[in-house]
Each structure stands twice: as C-alpha cells, then as structure tokens.
Amino acid sequence: QVQLVESGGGLVQAGGSLRLSCAASRSFFAINIMGWFRQAPGKQRELVASISSGGRVNYKDSVKGRFTISRDNAKNTVYLQMNSLKPDDTAVYYCTANAILTGATKDSWYWGQGTQVTVSS
C-alpha cells in the first residue's frame, strides 16, 4: 500500500524550531518531486516548499530564509527544518510526492495524513 508517513509536528513558541519528516513506502519505483503543503483553518492549502529528485528547491516567499527542505533519496524521505517560527505558520502540514509505483506506467501525486504545527505567541 502506498504511504507517506509524516512526523515531527507539535506545539512551539514563536521563534522556536521544528523538524518535519516524511517517509515514503518502498512500493514506489521512483519518486520525482517531494514537498510540503500547509492548510490553516479557513484558508486554502498552499505550497510551502518542494524539492526535485536532483535537489532543486522552491520555497513560498514568506518562509524563505527560515525553512529548509531536504531529502534523503536512499531513505525515500523528505525533511522540512523550520526555524524562527511565527504564529502565522500555524497549520496542518502535508507531505506530498510525485511518484511512480512499482509496476505502474505513469506518475501520480500522493499525500500524507498531515501533522499539526502550532506556534504560540
């Protein structure tokens, strides 16, 4: 079964740090882009950061300089290091991956179950 399993969310004070992890199951033949979205109450889901299989990264403007996305291709894992957190960063964070399942002929997008990040002022 296809799975993206997230961990690392929690409650932190403003200015603090958290590190999110997302591990993809071994049923993937290949993983292209991996990334993180977030959704705050009453708001649309938005892209936070993404990273290609070759390491090219992309960030939402408001997190540039504070968040760092990285991946370990050998472990099929993507990370999001979040520093200098602000109350506006409070949201459910979702891991996503564009990948090809073993035995499949095309790629698809997959999502994790989400992890809550709460930043108190």
Side-chain angles (χ1 to χ4, degrees):
Q1 184 175 353
V2 174
Q3 282 188 328
L4 294 175
V5 180
E6 300 136 334
S7 60
L11 172 65
V12 65
Q13 289 187 333
S17 298
L18 284 174
R19 189 191 194 211
L20 306 183
S21 299
C22 173
S25 70
R26 295 286 181 181
S27 60
F28 289 117
F29 170 71
I31 302 176
N32 302 317
I33 297 172
M34 301 187 81
W36 294 92
F37 279 71
R38 69 186 182 188
Q39 187 166 20
K43 295 186 177 181
Q44 290 188 329
R45 191 173 296 191
E46 60 182 9
L47 174 67
V48 177
S50 64
I51 184 168
S52 71
S53 57
R56 183 162 57 184
V57 300
N58 179 53
Y59 294 99
K60 177 180 173 59
D61 284 346
S62 64
V63 308
K64 287 180 180 177
R66 301 188 297 122
F67 290 10
T68 302
I69 189 170
S70 61
R71 65 189 282 176
D72 184 333
N73 291 329
K75 295 181 179 179
N76 286 346
T77 301
V78 63
Y79 307 95
L80 185 67
Q81 177 67 43
M82 305 185 292
N83 298 328
S84 302
L85 282 160
K86 304 175 181 180
D88 284 349
D89 295 318
T90 296
V92 177
Y93 283 69
Y94 296 92
C95 172
T96 187
N98 177 265
I100 303 172
L101 284 176
T102 301
T105 57
K106 64 177 184 177
D107 59 283
S108 296
W109 285 95
Y110 299 91
W111 293 86
Q113 78 284 358
T115 185
Q116 178 69 46
V117 171
T118 303
V119 184
S120 63
S121 57

